[in-house]
Amino acid sequence: MIKNALFFLLLGVGVFFSSISQADPWKEMPSEQLEKTLSDKFHGGEYSSKGADSCLACHKKSDAVMALFDGVHGDMNNPQSPMAGLQCEACHGPMGKHNRGGKEPMISFGADSSLDAASQNSVCLGCHQSTELMSWHGSAHNLDEVACASCHKVHAAKDPAFDKLAINASCTACHTKEGADLHKRSSHPFKWDQMTCIDCHNPHGAPGEAALKQFSVNDTCFECHSEKRGPFLWEHAPVTENCANCHNPHGGVNESLTKARVPQLCQQCHADDGHGSRVDAGQSAFNAGKSCLNCHSQVHGSNHPAGKMLAR
Ligand code: HEC
Ligand code: HEC
Ligand code: HEC
Ligand code: HEC
Ligand code: HEC
Ligand code: HEC
Ligand code: HEC
Ligand code: HEC
Ligand code: HEC
Ligand code: HEC
């Protein structure tokens, strides 16, 4: 807990209030004064002597507040838990004079908080430095100021981040483009939450591209579509390079999640290759049925000795 007290002293230096939410009773306070108040307060380190009891004297009427005790952070028996140390103040900062006529603010979390995301998150990161969060620092979520509390809820019996049926909705609340894609005609089985965004992405960031759990796009796809991994005797270059050359993993209007329909999909690259650019008016193998795929059915690669043209 000494570590935590020290942590707040450090936080105090960097604390910065960008704006003050309408809900704050101290919204009349000029921002400079507010900043100074917080800074002084953290340096003062005036933690309450009675811990949670002091807070609950005023806050226990709120069901939202009391729900903390149904979750892991309210667990009195875990020696690592905030409850074993500074209790409420482990997250909300020292009480100082907050209890005296509401003159002093506390650290608050989530979308309505007047504190910037980096400062909010530093509170959580004070205890959470696990391997799961190793890539957080360089992640798009961190760099774009997404707060831990945008996805996590600690005053709750069950954090919605661990509810498989709630994840897609929580991600698409911000990611509206992907949200629209997954309701298109062709998509992965997202609609009934059989599959979720975190089957492929790490919400805390990852060393590879697009925060994918696997290092590359193809490795991500091979997790479930291993038959596409090869090696093939006759490879198709764009497949080996990146499945996303032809597929949108989130969904689309074309069959099989393809970015365009065949033959247009193929003609994006094969327009100048002999008959690849052929466009027929009447019924022919080039436009009926599966078009190019009528003959080139092994578009992902072929192991047939005569499969050079991906036709068998
Ligand atoms: C004397 C009563 C009183 C005590 C004691 C008290 N608070 Fe508050 N607290 C308030 C009032 C009043 C508000 C503003 C109205 C509201 O949001 O409920 C408030 C607001 C808050 C907020 C919301 C801040 C925001 O910007 O939305 C947090 C978080 C908070 N208190 C935490 C605590 C913690 C932690 C403790 C114990 C260390 C504590 N309070 C002790 C009266 C109190
Ligand atoms: C004082 C230390 C401390 C602080 C500060 C803290 N946590 Fe935790 N957190 C814990 C402990 C202890 C656990 C339980 C871990 C375990 O049992 O393995 C936990 C568990 C979690 C879990 C897993 C929950 C679950 O249901 O399994 C999440 C998510 C989490 N914390 C998020 C946060 C967020 C977000 C913040 C900041 C608002 C935060 N924590 C601040 C100590 C802390
Ligand atoms: C974009 C949403 C999002 C953000 C932002 C986010 N998390 Fe998470 N977090 C999740 C999801 C979803 C899971 C569940 C992962 C799973 O089930 O594999 C999770 C899991 C966790 C766990 C449990 C890890 C484990 O596997 O035991 C902890 C602890 C945690 N997050 C802490 C944090 C902290 C601290 C921050 C801020 C620095 C943060 N998270 C930011 C979505 C998020
Ligand atoms: C692990 C960090 C953590 C601990 C410990 C903690 N809180 Fe919170 N508190 C949060 C976060 C994060 C939120 C934003 C809502 C959420 O995540 O559930 C919040 C929200 C609040 C709010 C605003 C609720 C509202 O009406 O929107 C109050 C008041 C509050 N906490 C008081 C307390 C009190 C009192 C305690 C101790 C009994 C406490 N908190 C312990 C992290 C914490
Ligand atoms: C509070 C809003 C918010 C929520 C909730 C959210 N994100 Fe993000 N996400 C962002 C922002 C902002 C960016 C960076 C700008 C962008 O790429 O749109 C981002 C970027 C990403 C990226 C691109 C990463 C990169 O390195 O290019 C992925 C993937 C992603 N988010 C996945 C998720 C997943 C999965 C969830 C749910 C667990 C989620 N997001 C929840 C706001 C959010
Ligand atoms: C089947 C795996 C998979 C699933 C499931 C998945 N994604 Fe992706 N996502 C990817 C791949 C692969 C990329 C990189 C795409 C590319 O290179 O075109 C990506 C890219 C992204 C990006 C970055 C887009 C950009 O333009 O930079 C965001 C944001 C994103 N995904 C959000 C989500 C959200 C939200 C969900 C859940 C609704 C989700 N993803 C589900 C595989 C997946
Ligand atoms: C977590 C497992 C998983 C991952 C990872 C995954 N898929 Fe899938 N994919 C599925 C499932 C499940 C289906 C539905 C299979 C079915 O309906 O028979 C599917 C179906 C497909 C389909 C056919 C869709 C249709 O409408 O017929 C394509 C194309 C596809 N995936 C491409 C990809 C690509 C590209 C990637 C990598 C970006 C990827 N998948 C990653 C599980 C996964
Ligand atoms: C050159 C474009 C292209 C690339 C690159 C590509 N695909 Fe496909 N994929 C297609 C087409 C076209 C279909 C539809 C095939 C059909 O209807 O017979 C398809 C269908 C699929 C299907 C569903 C039908 C089946 O064969 O199981 C899966 C799964 C799939 N692709 C996965 C992948 C994976 C994984 C990769 C990366 C290793 C990849 N694709 C790369 C064009 C491509
Ligand atoms: C992103 C670009 C791209 C797309 C889209 C694409 N291809 Fe290819 N394709 C290539 C490249 C590159 C080669 C290798 C050419 C070479 O080796 O000269 C190739 C090779 C081939 C070959 C073997 C030709 C040879 O000379 O070895 C056939 C057949 C083929 N593609 C058919 C298709 C079909 C059918 C589609 C649509 C389903 C398609 N391609 C989509 C880039 C693409
Ligand atoms: C009726 C069957 C058939 C259809 C339909 C067909 N191809 Fe072919 N394709 C072939 C055969 C056979 C070869 C080998 C030709 C050769 O060796 O001279 C070939 C060769 C190719 C080659 C290698 C370069 C070349 O022209 O020799 C590419 C690229 C190609 N096809 C792309 C396409 C695309 C794109 C489509 C759709 C617009 C398509 N093919 C439709 C049968 C077909």
Side-chain angles (χ1 to χ4, degrees):
M1 279 311 119
I2 289 172
K3 188 167 145 251
N4 258 315
L6 192 68
F7 175 68
F8 280 111
L9 288 175
L10 293 172
L11 179 71
V13 181
V15 131
F16 166 66
F17 269 59
S18 46
S19 68
I20 304 169
S21 123
Q22 292 303 307
D24 286 344
W26 36 82
K27 68 182 174 207
E28 308 295 338
M29 197 184 269
S31 60
E32 273 168 35
Q33 194 188 333
L34 186 62
E35 209 179 311
K36 187 176 183 305
T37 307
L38 271 154
S39 187
D40 291 349
K41 183 172 160 171
F42 286 114
H43 285 299
E46 267 185 64
Y47 291 93
S48 70
S49 52
K50 283 185 266 158
D53 289 341
S54 353
C55 315
L56 295 178
C58 295
H59 285 292
K60 72 165 178 277
K61 293 179 292 290
S62 161
D63 292 341
V65 171
M66 295 310 283
L68 178 84
F69 297 102
D70 302 327
V72 290
H73 294 95
D75 181 358
M76 302 287 192
N77 301 317
N78 182 345
Q80 308 292 310
S81 153
M83 286 307 127
L86 294 166
Q87 304 198 324
C88 316
E89 293 164 291
C91 291
H92 292 289
M95 179 159 75
K97 298 186 182 61
H98 170 73
N99 60 336
R100 293 186 217 145
K103 285 224 174 60
E104 277 184 359
M106 300 293 284
I107 293 181
S108 62
F109 297 91
D112 297 335
S113 175
S114 35
L115 196 59
D116 65 272
S119 305
Q120 288 180 46
N121 295 351
S122 68
V123 171
C124 313
L125 290 166
C127 290
H128 293 289
Q129 297 284 354
S130 64
T131 46
E132 282 83 10
L133 287 155
M134 226 159 46
S135 296
W136 172 257
H137 190 71
S139 72
H141 282 155
N142 183 39
L143 300 175
D144 254 287
E145 300 255 318
V146 176
C148 313
S150 298
C151 298
H152 292 291
K153 208 165 166 21
V154 306
H155 285 261
K158 193 169 185 221
D159 184 330
F162 297 94
D163 179 357
K164 197 166 183 264
L165 299 177
I167 288 184
N168 288 338
S170 100
C171 307
T172 55
C174 291
H175 294 289
T176 51
K177 185 185 168 293
E178 285 74 17
D181 283 348
L182 60 90
H183 289 105
K184 288 180 181 160
R185 192 162 75 96
S186 169
S187 84
H188 270 113
F190 290 116
K191 280 165 205 150
W192 296 277
D193 298 295
Q194 287 140 287
M195 222 170 131
T196 70
C197 313
I198 62 170
D199 284 331
C200 295
H201 294 290
N202 187 332
H204 306 131
E209 72 176 283
L212 291 169
K213 286 179 156 178
Q214 303 300 318
F215 197 74
S216 71
V217 171
N218 284 23
D219 285 340
T220 304
C221 311
F222 296 152
E223 282 273 285
C224 302
H225 300 290
S226 54
E227 80 287 355
K228 300 282 188 288
R229 187 194 286 273
F232 296 105
L233 187 54
W234 305 106
E235 289 181 335
H236 192 191
V239 177
T240 325
E241 186 193 82
N242 189 337
C243 309
N245 278 330
C246 295
H247 294 290
N248 180 341
H250 307 118
V253 294
N254 306 303
E255 264 178 66
S256 296
L257 308 168
T258 50
K259 288 180 163 173
R261 277 191 297 166
V262 183
Q264 284 84 0
L265 180 71
C266 315
Q267 288 168 344
Q268 285 169 5
C269 300
H270 293 295
D272 302 324
D273 298 1
H275 71 262
S277 58
R278 189 166 154 183
V279 186
D280 287 8
Q283 281 285 318
S284 91
F286 283 84
N287 58 8
K290 294 183 150 202
S291 178
C292 316
L293 302 171
N294 286 332
C295 301
H296 302 290
S297 58
Q298 304 304 307
V299 71
H300 298 103
S302 168
N303 278 321
H304 193 283
K308 184 169 190 296
M309 289 303 147
L310 311 176
R312 53 184 96 195

